[in-house]
Amino acid sequence: MQDGSVTRRILSLSGLVLSNALAWLPRAAMPQQAPRPLTLEHARAIAQRVSPELAAARAAVEAAAARARQAAALSNPTLSYGYEQTSATGQRTSQSIAALEQPLEITGTRGARRDAARLRYEAAEADLRAAEAQVTFDVTRTYALAWAAEDRLT
């Protein structure tokens, strides 16, 4: 068990020494890779994947879908049990009471709640589409500005 620990420490230390040695090498000594040009489609795909605004909008859509599912559900029934024991004039009586309650919404509040939740879901989806469009616009604009700056430089 201890030999494995020593081996891991030696490998870790040698990796650290190697990375420090490579950091001190002159840039000419290290093999240079030609920079891969970033295409607009690739930049958009990366931005769509890592944007915190889009992550928040996607989470809002998921939450709105869950709220819509919950709004359509029936309320839970309630089961209760009670035991009473009384005594008067030397007589003792007792009774057990069990009750099952199911709230009924006959005024249409459940339907209104379901419709409101559906509309909130649609609004969250619209917000997500707007955020996606904004991210796409920002990436395209930045890409065009970088392309124009490179063109002016050459």
Side-chain angles (χ1 to χ4, degrees), residues 15-71:
L16 183 63
V17 169
L18 182 60
S19 66
N20 284 336
L22 289 176
W24 288 100
L25 280 176
R27 292 290 175 201
M30 295 180 67
Q32 295 292 320
Q33 291 181 345
R36 196 175 97 204
L38 179 67
T39 64
L40 179 58
E41 291 77 24
H42 190 231
R44 285 178 180 164
I46 291 170
Q48 295 281 332
R49 192 173 58 245
V50 301
S51 170
E53 291 85 8
L54 290 181
R58 288 183 192 114
V61 168
E62 290 175 13
R67 281 192 297 271
R69 213 173 22 256
Q70 182 62 35

Side-chain angles (χ1 to χ4, degrees), residues 19-138:
S19 66
N20 284 336
L22 289 176
W24 288 100
L25 280 176
R27 292 290 175 201
M30 295 180 67
Q32 295 292 320
Q33 291 181 345
R36 196 175 97 204
L38 179 67
T39 64
L40 179 58
E41 291 77 24
H42 190 231
R44 285 178 180 164
I46 291 170
Q48 295 281 332
R49 192 173 58 245
V50 301
S51 170
E53 291 85 8
L54 290 181
R58 288 183 192 114
V61 168
E62 290 175 13
R67 281 192 297 271
R69 213 173 22 256
Q70 182 62 35
L74 293 172
S75 57
N76 290 331
T78 305
L79 176 64
S80 61
Y81 174 77
Y83 178 75
E84 292 182 3
Q85 186 174 9
T86 60
S87 63
T89 63
Q91 292 183 341
R92 297 179 69 182
T93 60
S94 64
Q95 65 180 10
S96 297
I97 302 170
L100 178 64
E101 299 174 11
Q102 174 65 52
L104 299 174
E105 296 177 7
I106 55 176
T107 60
T109 56
R110 183 170 157 245
R113 191 171 53 241
R114 186 177 53 237
D115 292 342
R118 180 184 48 81
L119 291 173
R120 280 193 299 267
Y121 175 74
E122 290 173 4
E125 281 186 323
D127 288 344
L128 174 60
R129 287 192 300 274
E132 287 172 343
Q134 185 64 45
V135 167
T136 300
F137 170 77
D138 290 341

